[in-house]
Amino acid sequence: MRRPRLPSEEQYGGIAKLLRGAGLRPTQQRLALAHLLFANGDRHVTAEALHEEALARKVPVSLATVYNTLHQFTEAGLLREVAVEGAKTYFDTNTSNHYHFFCEHSGQLMDIETGAIRIEVLPEAPDGMAISRVDVLVRLVDKSTS
Ligand SMILES: [Zn+2]
């Protein structure tokens, strides 16, 4: 059996720095998953999709570890969690405040350009509370089925 190979810390020095900067120890598994997440621009991934990707790259990691790692990255501020009602949770490498298109057919999540949606009026928060963030999800269907 071929031994699975994980990226060495040297190979992914920038990613190790990113993890350390967020207060996370750059373990082999974290490095490998962070490389998949952050090496190729902004992405929206589910734990299941990232797990499949990891296995395809011969990164020996369980789905539970992928879940835990994604939640650790989110808590450390490296990812933003986007919950789509009735579907899965997506993890977004773009942690800035932005809105999303959600394609109901493919399950794909896409960023909406900042400024393309303007919210003119917000309700007062209930007593003792403040608004922390507004999430907007614009759902898409194929034109032929709408
Ligand atoms: Zn996004």
Side-chain angles (χ1 to χ4, degrees), residues 42-44 80 82 92-94 96 98-100 109-112:
D42 282 338
R43 315 185 51 185
H44 305 91
R80 181 182 145 187
V82 182
D92 194 343
T93 60
N94 177 357
S96 73
H98 64 281
Y99 306 130
H100 291 103
L109 207 61
M110 289 163 275
D111 286 346
I112 295 175

Side-chain angles (χ1 to χ4, degrees), residues 50-127:
L50 185 63
H51 182 233
E52 274 174 35
E53 220 176 287
L55 294 184
R57 306 270 185 101
K58 308 262 183 269
V59 178
V61 72
S62 70
L63 182 58
T65 301
V66 172
Y67 265 113
N68 290 339
T69 305
L70 285 169
H71 285 290
Q72 286 162 357
F73 285 2
T74 302
E75 271 163 39
L78 297 175
L79 294 173
R80 181 182 145 187
E81 211 173 320
V82 182
V84 178
E85 156 238 340
K88 293 166 180 166
T89 296
Y90 291 76
F91 294 87
D92 194 343
T93 60
N94 177 357
T95 56
S96 73
N97 205 354
H98 64 281
Y99 306 130
H100 291 103
F101 279 126
F102 175 66
C103 175
E104 294 185 337
H105 178 69
S106 68
Q108 203 196 346
L109 207 61
M110 289 163 275
D111 286 346
I112 295 175
E113 228 176 279
T114 315
I117 292 181
R118 257 199 311 273
I119 295 174
E120 307 264 327
V121 183
L122 283 175
E124 288 277 329
D127 272 353

Side-chain angles (χ1 to χ4, degrees), residues 6-17 20 26-28 31:
L6 284 165
S8 73
E9 195 175 316
E10 249 166 65
Q11 274 173 292
Y12 299 125
I15 285 175
K17 213 179 268 176
R20 282 208 195 86
T27 61
Q28 289 287 292
L31 281 170

